[in-house]
Amino acid sequence: HIPEARFLDMNRLVWDGDPAWGTEMRSSEEIGGALRTLGLHDDIEHVVVYATNPLFASRAFMTMEVMGFAGRVHVLDGGQAGWVASGRELTTVEPAPAGGGRLSLGLRGDVLVSADWIHERLDEDGIALVDARPDDEYTGEDGGMGGMANPGHIPGAHQMYWEELIESRESPYLLDRPELTALFEGAGVSEGDTVVAYCMVGWRASYTYLAARLLGYETKFYDGSWRDWGTRDDLPAVTGSEPGR
């Protein structure tokens, strides 16, 4: 690991349960306990997260923003692969135990959205739904999670597979701002829009969330994603390669 980096077990942030929204986030109390274990406290101004899998870093970034760290949490571009490729060293030495300090956290109510929140706004201008899944899941050719859900996507949602936002899995650097902006515009996002990111269970969409925040869009996150929406027969779905309505 990078010298002095502390280990964040992602299982302490997410779980595979099925509460009302199909959300993957653990409770505020559980997440707060995980962050306190890392030694985070109110006086820390900058937290940098990284991983070998870029989705782990983006998921941690989104979670920490939701918990009140907006403006103080950052992602190491390129992750551990980029660190090594730039000639920097790794270590197996464990850092000293984390210190104490008061950590005041509060779940932000302006980031996470539910299926019902989206459904009420399907025809509303200024809401840009971005689907971070690959072709077969977006079009419905996957059969809806292999028959576990209705096939397709949310009406009006544009597809932008999350891997389009990075150079490659082997070189997981974010594209530059003009390229990112062009991708978001191609996904139906206009200046001033609120981006709502979703995928299958909330992992891939966290990278869309990260990129949208970097570009300055107001951004919301549908954690239940298609596992929630696609298993409800009272919600509409569209198949095929077009956003549809």
Side-chain angles (χ1 to χ4, degrees), residues 16-230:
D16 292 326
D18 190 24
W21 289 3
T23 183
E24 296 287 312
M25 284 187 66
R26 288 188 178 272
S27 69
S28 299
E29 292 75 17
E30 290 174 302
I31 294 172
L35 300 182
R36 290 183 180 93
T37 300
L38 297 175
L40 302 187
H41 53 78
D42 290 343
D43 294 331
I44 290 180
E45 297 181 356
H46 300 287
V47 180
V48 179
V49 295
Y50 77 94
T52 53
N53 184 336
L55 295 182
F56 286 5
S58 60
R59 180 76 200 199
F61 172 85
M62 181 279 298
T63 302
M64 294 176 71
E65 285 219 328
V66 167
M67 291 299 296
F69 264 85
R72 291 189 289 165
V73 59
H74 315 274
V75 174
L76 175 62
D77 193 19
Q80 181 162 309
W83 179 270
V84 173
S86 63
R88 294 175 172 86
E89 295 182 355
L90 300 176
T91 183
T92 58
V93 177
E94 294 288 335
R102 178 179 175 79
L103 178 60
S104 305
L105 296 173
L107 183 67
R108 292 176 57 190
D110 60 341
V111 177
L112 295 178
V113 297
S114 67
D116 292 335
W117 186 96
I118 295 173
H119 190 215
E120 292 170 0
R121 294 165 175 80
L122 284 182
D123 296 320
E124 187 174 309
D125 292 337
I127 301 295
L129 291 170
V130 179
D131 189 317
R133 298 177 298 162
D135 291 348
D136 64 332
E137 295 178 29
Y138 177 80
T139 62
E141 292 179 6
D142 71 331
M145 299 171 60
M148 297 173 60
N150 296 318
H153 55 270
I154 299 175
H158 286 71
Q159 181 197 26
M160 184 174 65
Y161 185 43
W162 78 273
E163 284 194 36
E164 296 177 43
L165 303 171
I166 60 176
E167 292 181 3
S168 67
R169 281 289 192 125
E170 295 72 31
S171 181
Y173 290 96
L174 264 169
L175 302 181
D176 60 32
R177 286 176 181 267
E179 291 176 295
L180 290 176
T181 299
L183 284 171
F184 274 86
E185 290 176 348
V189 182
S190 301
E191 184 177 353
D193 281 355
T194 296
V195 174
V196 181
Y198 79 95
C199 55
M200 181 68 77
V201 294
W203 281 97
R204 292 170 288 191
S206 68
Y207 212 87
T208 305
Y209 176 91
L210 168 65
R213 290 282 291 114
L214 176 67
L215 293 176
Y217 293 112
E218 180 180 352
T219 311
K220 298 187 183 297
F221 191 79
Y222 177 24
D223 201 11
S225 286
W226 197 252
R227 190 183 71 171
D228 177 43
W229 187 285

